[in-house]
Amino acid sequence: MSQQNQQTSNGSSQSTTADQPNDRNKVILETNPTTKPTLIRLAVVLLLTLGVVGYLQLNPEALGSPDITNTAALVVLLLGLVLTVRFLVRTIILVRTTYTVTNSRVEQEYELLFRTHSKGIRFDKLRSHELNQNRIQSILGYGTISMNRGLGPLRLENVDEPEAVYDTIRTCAKRVA
Amino acid sequence: MPVRGVGAILRGGFDAIFRPHKFVEFQTDSYGASRLGVIRQLGSLLGVYFVNLAAYAVPLTLAGIGVQSSQSAPENFARIAGSYGIDPVASWQLLTAFVQNSLFISIATAITLVTFHVGVLIVRDSQGIVQSMHTVVYTTSAYLVATFSAVWYLTNQAGVSGARQLIRNLQAAFVYAIIDALGAGVELPGGRPDSLGVTTISAEGQWILAILTLSLLYYLFSLYLGARINHRATRSNAAIAVVAVALSPVVYVTGSIIAYIIA
């Protein structure tokens, strides 16, 4: 689902071209976020919803009275429906999202319902950056790169091979600083 | 680019249901650094709150909920309304009905704001009152309004008597649990319910109960998200802030019982 396209990886050659105005928007790295964790969550939600609703339907007296059990099943069903729609929309957005690192900025962009959503940070305006990976993210090989937290932040979520992307951002940020 | 008009309302509705983290998130890039900035943001939030309050209370009022036809207008109000060519009695009845319809949700909002902010202050994660107010204003405008609407529907509509009885029994059981814990010999007018269960709940009643449960869950979860995102609280600290809000009915009922005993 994800692809990482390291178009330019030689740090020394980038540093010589970074100051040229024509090369300011030269793409160093372009990658798409992975949909793996969202699809796993979607599968878990569907399984749990069907499991709990099925159990409650097969045991009408589980919560005392059939009507109360049925109400509980409705709550689980509605919650499952909301989460399913949420994860489906999230998957569509992730599939259409591109993270781009150029000589001068990091950008996140996706198109949905004929609208383009774009957000970026210039390296000369970058004040902080961090890479976060919890245990599950480490096992599945993805992570979140956060920039300028609390200052109009940019979060690159579900980044596949996050160390490589983070290293590229750090290198570019150092060079501009 | 910010979305405006109908698009903003649709997007707000979508976010409220499917992306509550976006719904309660403080949308400006930086919080007001100066006092003037803070006052401006508070004013803007109050504007959002009153627009949402009106959107909730005006339809109820126009539908005749809370209107007391026997009520007459005070002299001063009648004189001012009369000078503008407005029927003083009808306008006074509508005004009092509007205030009454807004009152409970306004009190609930105020209690939520105080307990939520005290909660984030206790865990030392507070980023300021504006962030708390932003969280509570948006939480109230969607989830608490949904909760109140569901309760209002249960109270006023025919065909949901089973669900109504279940809610009343739950409320009575909650109050009696506190009465028993305090050892106070107080009785509610309706007496102690024998059991929580009711014989039948109609399909409509089941749907309303499900929506009521979900809106309460959303309400608490959005407060948790508000603490996490707007106050940058840790998971445990955000949970403590939510517990502070969830405990407010216990504090309110305990205070009422103690006040009743003393009086």
Side-chain angles (χ1 to χ4, degrees):
Chain A
M1 222 22 119
S2 67
Q3 57 174 24
Q4 193 164 313
N5 178 17
Q6 193 106 18
Q7 295 189 351
T8 308
S9 57
N10 189 323
S12 59
S13 68
Q14 287 159 22
S15 65
T16 54
T17 58
D19 297 328
Q20 301 292 327
N22 291 341
D23 287 342
R24 287 183 72 83
N25 291 323
K26 185 177 178 184
V27 175
I28 294 174
L29 186 147
E30 197 173 270
T31 183
N32 303 104
T34 174
T35 53
K36 215 169 12 182
T38 314
L39 291 174
I40 291 171
R41 281 182 192 144
L42 179 61
V44 170
V45 163
L46 285 173
L47 282 175
L48 273 177
T49 305
L50 291 175
V52 174
V53 171
Y55 173 79
L56 292 175
Q57 290 299 313
L58 291 172
N59 299 280
E61 304 286 337
L63 297 177
S65 99
D67 288 345
I68 292 177
T69 307
N70 208 31
T71 307
L74 270 178
V75 171
V76 176
L77 198 64
L78 287 173
L79 210 54
L81 190 69
V82 165
L83 289 172
T84 301
V85 172
R86 172 166 162 53
F87 289 138
L88 281 175
V89 171
R90 176 110 177 107
T91 305
I92 293 167
I93 289 174
L94 284 174
V95 166
R96 289 162 174 261
T97 299
T98 308
Y99 300 141
T100 310
V101 181
T102 70
N103 276 354
S104 60
R105 57 191 283 124
V106 187
E107 198 161 292
Q108 173 192 35
E109 190 176 288
Y110 69 88
E111 201 187 304
L112 191 69
L113 301 173
F114 310 108
R115 278 172 60 93
T116 302
H117 303 258
S118 176
K119 195 175 179 185
I121 291 180
R122 273 168 35 197
F123 284 123
D124 60 340
K125 300 284 181 190
L126 189 62
R127 296 290 172 265
S128 66
H129 48 78
E130 58 187 73
L131 165 64
N132 291 308
Q133 270 186 300
N134 61 31
R135 282 191 201 95
I136 294 169
Q137 288 175 328
S138 293
I139 292 165
L140 295 173
Y142 72 96
T144 302
I145 297 168
S146 305
M147 283 161 276
N148 281 4
R149 283 187 74 180
L151 298 162
L154 179 67
R155 273 165 64 86
L156 308 185
E157 292 176 322
N158 295 0
V159 181
D160 229 356
E161 297 182 37
E163 291 89 359
V165 180
Y166 185 59
D167 280 347
T168 308
I169 291 170
R170 209 163 42 177
T171 308
C172 290
K174 268 184 195 163
R175 201 174 51 231
V176 172
Chain B
M1 191 172 60
V3 187
R4 295 187 188 284
V6 179
I9 294 170
L10 289 176
R11 189 177 182 149
F14 181 85
D15 284 347
I17 296 169
F18 299 108
R19 304 195 306 175
H21 63 288
K22 286 277 176 201
F23 188 66
V24 296
E25 184 183 30
F26 206 97
Q27 295 295 326
T28 52
D29 281 350
S30 59
Y31 299 112
S34 65
R35 274 189 189 171
L36 191 66
V38 169
I39 290 168
R40 218 174 267 164
Q41 284 168 340
L42 281 173
S44 153
L45 284 171
L46 275 175
V48 171
Y49 176 72
F50 284 116
V51 167
N52 288 323
L53 185 68
Y56 165 75
V58 166
L60 286 182
T61 309
L62 293 178
I65 308 297
V67 177
Q68 292 171 6
S69 52
S70 59
Q71 216 171 24
S72 59
E75 250 178 60
N76 288 340
F77 181 86
R79 198 173 54 248
I80 294 166
S83 67
Y84 287 100
I86 301 167
D87 180 353
V89 177
S91 55
W92 177 254
Q93 286 172 358
L94 280 176
L95 184 68
T96 50
F98 176 78
V99 170
Q100 191 187 313
N101 288 330
S102 316
L103 195 63
F104 291 116
I105 202 158
S106 299
I107 291 170
T109 304
I111 291 172
T112 305
L113 177 62
V114 170
T115 49
F116 178 73
H117 195 61
V118 167
V120 289
L121 281 173
I122 288 170
V123 295
R124 297 184 177 184
D125 269 333
S126 172
Q127 300 286 322
I129 185 73
V130 184
Q131 283 83 339
S132 289
M133 196 155 159
H134 180 92
T135 305
V136 172
V137 162
Y138 279 82
T139 297
T140 306
S141 66
Y143 313 119
L144 211 53
V145 160
T147 305
F148 272 68
S149 302
V151 170
W152 174 85
Y153 192 90
L154 280 180
T155 312
N156 292 285
Q157 294 299 305
V160 288
S161 58
R164 182 163 56 233
Q165 193 56 45
L166 179 69
I167 295 295
R168 280 182 185 159
N169 288 351
L170 278 170
Q171 285 174 335
F174 169 70
V175 175
Y176 271 110
I178 295 172
I179 289 172
D180 293 344
L182 292 172
V186 183
E187 286 292 323
L188 292 177
R192 191 183 286 262
D194 295 331
S195 68
L196 286 183
V198 286
T199 48
T200 49
I201 302 172
S202 64
E204 191 183 355
Q206 289 174 25
W207 274 99
I208 299 297
L209 284 177
I211 290 167
L212 182 63
T213 310
L214 275 181
S215 58
L216 277 172
L217 288 176
Y218 264 107
Y219 168 66
L220 294 175
F221 184 57
S222 64
L223 288 173
Y224 170 83
L225 291 174
R228 287 278 290 149
I229 298 166
N230 297 337
H231 288 288
R232 292 177 224 150
T234 59
R235 285 194 182 93
S236 53
N237 285 354
I240 290 170
V242 175
V243 167
V245 177
L247 283 179
S248 57
V250 179
V251 174
Y252 177 77
V253 173
T254 307
S256 303
I257 293 167
I258 291 169
Y260 181 80
I261 293 167
I262 292 169

